[in-house]
Amino acid sequence: MIDTPPRRRRLSLDRVRGLPPWSVLAACVFAGGLLGGAYGVLTPPAYTATSYVVAVPTERSTPDAALGFAQAYGRVATQLAVLGDAQAWAGVPVRTLQRSVRTATSPDAPMVAVSATSEHPGLAVDMANAVSRALTRHADDSRSSTRVRLVQFSRAVEPSEPASASSGVTTLVGASAGGLLGGLALLARPRGAGRDDDPVPTASVPGPAAAADARGQR
């Protein structure tokens, strides 16, 4: 007798359902770790360099004004007007600077952190320093009206280690995610579901003789 495709499919499903729960969880952990490790190996490392500039009030300004302008310059640093001047010193297009440069400010200190990320450590340093230089130039042009000037506090240095996660970390993250998804799948699966070809139990009805004997014993 030749098995039909539906029967073969049913046999395969029965084998899968017959596996113990821990094997499904182990398979999910293994698959997640494999995908996470492959991502860490295939993704090139990324390096981040950071340069710092500080807002200094002039004799006709206050520290509070310097703090407020530091917040404003942190938002201006990634605008096209600043990046357009920085591209000549960094040696990369404006689109690369827009994609790679980020700024951060502090609510307590009049300081702007300019960070650049690249696959090459030297390029990350050049982009961070170039944007900081362009930002200080723009601040000097408007110093007569703002009464605040920007001073370079610290130049970016070449990073010794990548900022991106290593393949070992991505493997652990992938394995954890696979185990979590596998556990959720085990919890969400239906419990005690009967098969289509299982016989349906029928209710037993006592016969007339058994019913009469039961009345006589009362």
Side-chain angles (χ1 to χ4, degrees), residues 86-111:
Q87 66 174 342
W89 297 315
V92 294
V94 174
R95 291 184 178 180
T96 303
L97 293 175
Q98 290 176 333
R99 184 175 61 252
S100 304
V101 176
R102 297 292 182 269
T103 60
T105 57
S106 172
D108 302 323
M111 185 175 293

Side-chain angles (χ1 to χ4, degrees), residues 57-143:
T58 62
E59 63 277 0
R60 295 179 297 174
S61 183
T62 61
D64 292 337
L67 181 60
F69 276 106
Q71 303 289 332
Y73 284 132
R75 292 187 291 268
V76 172
T78 55
Q79 300 299 318
L80 186 60
V82 178
L83 298 182
D85 295 340
Q87 66 174 342
W89 297 315
V92 294
V94 174
R95 291 184 178 180
T96 303
L97 293 175
Q98 290 176 333
R99 184 175 61 252
S100 304
V101 176
R102 297 292 182 269
T103 60
T105 57
S106 172
D108 302 323
M111 185 175 293
V112 181
V114 181
S115 301
T117 304
S118 174
E119 299 177 6
H120 308 284
L123 182 57
V125 172
D126 293 340
M127 289 190 296
N129 289 330
V131 174
S132 297
R133 181 180 178 183
L135 184 62
T136 55
R137 291 287 184 88
H138 279 265
D140 288 340
D141 294 340
S142 58
R143 183 174 59 180

